[in-house]
Amino acid sequence: MWNQIRQALNESTSRVIKQIANLLPGIAALIVALLVAGILAWIITFLLRRSLRRIHFDERLSTWGLQSLAHWSASETPTVLVTRVVWWIIMLVGFLIGISAFDATLTPRFFERLFGYLPNVFAALILLFAGNMAARFLSRSVLIGAVNMNLQYARLLSAGVKWMVLVLTLAMVLDHLSIGGHIVYLAFAILFGGIVLALSIAVGLGSKDLISRSLEREASRSNEEIESPFRHL
Amino acid sequence: MVELSTIPEQTKQQIEQIRTVDLVIGLVDEDAGQTMTRIAEVVREGLARLTKSVRAVVLHQDAGANAGTALQNGLEDESLRFLSYAPAPAHRSIMLVESIVAAYRSIGEISHKLGAKASVVVASSPEGLTAEWIYGLAQPILERDLDLAAPCYAPNKFEGLLNSAILYPTSRALYGKRVVNPLGPDFGFSSRLLQSVLLDSWARGPGARLPLVAPEAVLRGLKVCQAHIGKRIYPPLDWKNLDSILAEVLDPFFLGIERDAAFWQHIRSSEPVPSFGDSLPWTEESVPVDTRRLLEPFKLGFRNLREIWSLVLPPSALLELTKADRLPPEQFRIPDELWTSIIYDFALAYHLRTIGRDHLLRALTPLYLGWSASYAIEVETLGGAAVQRRLERLCIAYENRKPYLVSRWRWPDRFNP
């Protein structure tokens, strides 16, 4: 009896050790692939950054009428953004090469499913990032624009735009991850429909006097401006 | 390489026939073609005051319908010709700056093609054009061998506020030359300046940025002067788009500051440039001033944009703004030291890209209107001499505060309370 238990334990231990040993080349390959990709990425981005600076990429981008693209990330120049994107793409390729080394040791079905789902995860991450950036950018644009148009409810408008974009982004992310299924569609449609209906009713019924007063005030201001002695430019 | 892209075919042929001229006078206003008889008289009168006779060409925007009108009316002769160029695809208000830039470019290209020794660009309304304008802007270039004649208009305390508040004092403090209207928009310039400043910048790209004529001329060591030319009629603008106009003007201005940082950090003080013509007295007209229209956006901006301003301005400036916001309207003031710090901090934030550049420039609008309100309240009852002293104090504040900008430009991460 004791011998049988010992034999079973020995066999299972050797099996686990064998499996770990089988995994080791894959892990080593992953590390090597990441290291090589890192070195390659460093060299390529270094050369790319130098080339972009030499051709004055940032200035050219604005002369090509793509200033808004440069504004999406305020703290980084377009050159840094491009090099960073290239760096991550190379690292991702290196990671995928490294991961593929496991093919022989891990269940192909698991990888098939994992790799089948990975594009969705990446797309969802990109969507989340882009949506968040867009929400921040648009809410700030609306806030500044509304203040400069002298709208008293500027902050409310800005917050509204921010949450609309965030909700839309979240719905798209969940859809990409195939989480929630039709519930997300329904919830999103009800939420958006509800917001639009509420706004329509509010503007159409409750706020018509407010809107007309506001428009009258703006019209009278236009007349005032003609007589204003101030000339700015 | 000069591309005559916006020039009608007929004009191109006329350029080939004319070959060379001494002076090109470019009219930016799209309606100038309709008052050509008066303009021809004014131009002839201005040119007659020059010591030598010159061959000149007047360029005006014309869609083709009025082409040949000048010739038919017998306005042309050997010494004065009229040519047209295609109107820029833009209109007043928010497109004002863009249309001026497009017209500058067309006029510059034709002037270069004609090998003119001097060019005069009249971007203001031609209604106010007098012989003094033509003579004042052309004479320093043709007869004194200078490179740039910047305009000096008849001063009025409520006109050209953006220039008085930001453009003139900043360019004076940074570039060291007291050119009252550094961005014109009316100029006389030499072929040297056209070649080295304007054509050079246009060759770099098709951007529609306002050229920083006077600062770039100073930067390149060209000879700059200013001419007292008379009253300017300011164009009617859509004030609802003031933030767009502010952004269109300040974007190239701050970009120039960023580009020329190595130059202006070594300038210690400012000096006057040669001035020609008789300076006109201040317009002493008494007009009722309603500062509510200026104060309201400032207060609204203070309530809503403080978070954005706090990314750009140090806490001490925000505290000063809080104090200003609490003052009753009649006592509302933005001190000169605070205003200069705000402009320098915004220039620095533009350079550092603290927030998106378009957002940054538009977020300055309520602050600018706040300064305008403070200034209007202060000078409402003052005479011309007192207003001049008031604006000179602002310029000196900019110069005194310049070490702050230099220090922050070099060490932006240093603690700034």
Side-chain angles (χ1 to χ4, degrees):
Chain A
M1 174 73 178
W2 178 243
N3 281 338
Q4 283 172 333
I5 291 169
R6 205 168 57 182
Q7 193 183 348
L9 270 173
N10 280 341
E11 278 173 7
S12 70
T13 309
S14 67
R15 249 197 330 268
V16 167
I17 288 169
K18 206 179 279 175
Q19 277 173 359
I20 290 170
N22 283 339
L23 270 177
L24 275 177
I27 292 168
L30 176 65
I31 292 166
V32 169
L34 282 176
L35 274 175
V36 171
I39 292 164
L40 263 178
W42 188 83
I43 293 167
I44 290 169
T45 51
F46 175 75
L47 292 174
L48 184 68
R49 194 182 302 121
R50 281 190 64 173
S51 314
L52 290 176
R53 281 188 183 150
R54 195 167 290 168
I55 62 163
H56 303 289
F57 179 70
D58 297 348
E59 290 165 25
R60 275 171 196 270
L61 201 68
S62 58
T63 57
W64 291 338
L66 296 171
Q67 293 100 323
S68 55
L69 191 72
H71 293 155
W72 280 85
S73 176
S75 57
E76 304 292 359
T77 63
T79 301
V80 173
L81 273 179
V82 168
T83 49
R84 210 163 271 182
V85 167
V86 170
W87 196 89
W88 279 110
I89 288 171
I90 296 169
M91 288 304 290
L92 184 69
V93 171
F95 179 73
L96 290 176
I97 291 168
I99 283 286
S100 70
F102 288 95
D103 258 344
T105 52
L106 291 174
T107 325
R109 205 172 157 199
F110 169 75
F111 267 99
E112 198 180 310
R113 289 193 65 183
L114 184 69
F115 277 110
Y117 197 63
L118 268 182
N120 289 0
V121 174
F122 281 124
L125 281 174
I126 289 167
L127 266 175
L128 198 64
F129 176 75
N132 198 27
M133 293 283 284
R136 275 179 54 189
F137 181 84
L138 291 174
S139 71
R140 193 175 274 177
S141 293
V142 169
L143 180 65
I144 293 170
V147 165
N148 286 333
M149 286 171 77
N150 223 2
L151 301 178
Q152 299 297 323
Y153 41 88
R155 192 174 282 275
L156 188 70
L157 266 181
S158 161
V161 167
K162 184 181 178 179
W163 284 107
M164 290 263 270
V165 176
L166 283 178
V167 167
L168 181 70
T169 304
L170 202 65
M172 285 164 73
V173 165
L174 290 175
D175 183 46
H176 258 83
L177 293 174
S178 308
I179 297 172
H182 292 295
I183 294 172
V184 175
Y185 286 119
L186 279 172
F188 183 72
I190 291 167
L191 192 67
F192 251 61
I195 289 169
V196 171
L197 186 67
L199 281 175
S200 307
I201 292 169
V203 171
L205 298 174
S207 311
K208 63 178 181 184
D209 293 337
L210 183 75
I211 299 290
S212 62
R213 275 203 303 275
S214 174
L215 288 173
E216 276 167 16
R217 199 165 55 237
E218 286 304 313
S220 66
R221 266 180 188 158
S222 301
N223 296 332
E224 281 171 24
E225 281 158 17
I226 295 164
E227 290 154 21
S228 165
F230 302 111
R231 296 285 181 271
H232 297 270
L233 191 63
Chain B
M1 185 64 194
V2 178
E3 290 293 333
L4 298 178
S5 48
T6 57
I7 314 303
E9 201 53 44
Q10 187 190 353
T11 306
K12 282 182 190 169
Q13 289 168 7
Q14 285 176 305
I15 290 170
E16 293 297 323
Q17 286 169 8
I18 295 170
R19 294 196 171 189
T20 60
V21 290
D22 301 305
L23 175 67
V24 165
I25 299 161
L27 305 171
V28 172
D29 193 284
E30 58 190 17
D31 301 327
Q34 292 163 12
T35 55
M36 206 44 79
T37 311
R38 194 188 78 80
I39 288 170
E41 280 172 23
V42 164
V43 169
R44 278 186 202 285
E45 197 185 329
L47 297 181
R49 290 175 59 186
L50 295 169
T51 51
K52 285 181 188 170
S53 64
V54 294
R55 292 180 71 221
V57 159
V58 174
L59 291 172
H60 59 94
Q61 289 199 24
D62 199 86
N66 292 330
T69 310
L71 192 64
Q72 287 160 16
N73 292 347
L75 296 176
E76 285 194 331
D77 58 27
E78 270 306 301
S79 64
L80 186 63
R81 302 289 297 270
F82 291 84
L83 296 179
S84 63
Y85 62 96
H91 204 259
R92 288 187 172 96
S93 71
I94 61 163
M95 304 300 276
L96 179 78
V97 175
E98 212 171 291
S99 67
I100 288 178
V101 174
Y104 268 31
R105 195 170 180 150
S106 301
I107 293 164
E109 286 172 350
I110 295 177
S111 184
H112 180 71
K113 191 81 179 166
L114 285 167
K117 290 178 199 153
S119 308
V120 169
V121 177
V122 179
S124 301
S125 167
E127 282 173 53
L129 185 70
T130 62
E132 196 59 45
W133 282 51
I134 303 299
Y135 176 76
L137 295 175
Q139 192 266 350
I141 314 298
L142 288 169
E143 297 183 352
R144 294 177 189 267
D145 198 31
L146 297 171
D147 292 301
L148 176 69
C152 263
Y153 305 109
N156 180 312
K157 56 189 172 187
F158 295 132
E159 286 181 350
L161 284 181
L162 182 60
N163 189 55
S164 303
I166 302 173
L167 303 176
Y168 169 51
T170 311
S171 78
R172 169 176 158 170
L174 297 192
Y175 294 87
K177 299 282 182 193
R178 296 178 196 166
V179 181
V180 176
N181 288 289
L183 266 62
D186 310 295
F187 282 115
F189 51 83
S190 67
S191 55
R192 273 191 300 270
L193 186 138
L194 175 66
Q195 184 72 51
S196 62
V197 176
L198 298 175
L199 295 177
D200 184 45
S201 73
W202 294 329
R204 273 183 253 147
R209 283 201 170 100
L210 200 64
L212 302 179
V213 183
E216 288 213 32
V218 172
L219 180 76
R220 286 161 203 252
L222 297 171
K223 289 173 278 184
V224 177
C225 72
Q226 52 191 3
H228 295 278
I229 56 174
K231 184 159 175 59
R232 178 183 176 216
I233 296 174
Y234 285 81
L237 292 174
D238 178 5
W239 295 118
K240 287 196 180 72
N241 290 312
L242 185 63
D243 60 333
S244 302
I245 292 165
L246 214 64
E248 279 188 69
V249 174
L250 291 181
D251 182 44
F253 191 68
F254 283 165
L255 197 68
I257 291 174
E258 182 183 47
R259 186 195 55 212
D260 305 334
F263 173 81
W264 56 253
Q265 287 186 42
H266 299 291
I267 303 288
R268 296 277 172 238
S269 59
S270 70
E271 58 182 24
V273 294
S275 291
F276 302 107
D278 300 324
S279 61
L280 287 155
W282 283 73
T283 314
E284 297 282 357
E285 61 190 19
S286 175
V287 282
V289 174
D290 180 12
T291 51
R292 268 180 318 155
R293 184 80 175 110
L294 302 171
L295 261 178
E296 270 178 29
F298 169 77
K299 289 185 175 290
L300 187 66
F302 184 77
R303 282 201 303 276
N304 292 289
L305 299 182
R306 236 178 318 175
E307 276 172 34
I308 295 173
W309 291 349
S310 68
L311 300 170
V312 177
L313 302 174
S316 58
L318 288 170
L319 187 68
E320 290 287 315
L321 286 173
T322 311
K323 285 180 192 167
D325 181 60
R326 286 177 187 162
L327 291 169
E330 63 278 6
Q331 289 171 18
F332 180 79
R333 290 285 184 282
I334 291 187
D336 287 349
E337 289 70 28
L338 173 62
W339 177 242
T340 51
S341 299
I342 288 171
I343 296 305
Y344 285 158
D345 282 320
F346 268 75
L348 183 74
Y350 183 92
H351 164 60
L352 296 174
R353 294 171 181 270
T354 310
I355 59 170
R357 286 179 165 179
D358 191 55
H359 286 165
L360 179 84
L361 296 173
R362 286 171 196 271
L364 181 62
T365 311
L367 288 168
Y368 165 71
L369 291 174
W371 179 86
S372 301
S374 161
Y375 168 79
I377 293 164
E378 212 178 330
V379 303
E380 189 178 0
T381 55
L382 297 183
V387 175
Q388 192 162 14
R389 282 198 299 277
R390 168 73 194 82
L391 289 173
E392 182 61 21
R393 275 207 311 277
L394 177 67
C395 293
I396 290 168
Y398 267 92
E399 289 188 23
N400 291 340
R401 198 77 177 135
K402 187 178 168 184
Y404 168 79
L405 175 66
V406 174
S407 161
R408 290 215 63 204
W409 199 279
R410 289 180 183 168
W411 302 285
D413 297 327
R414 188 179 275 184
F415 176 65
N416 187 31

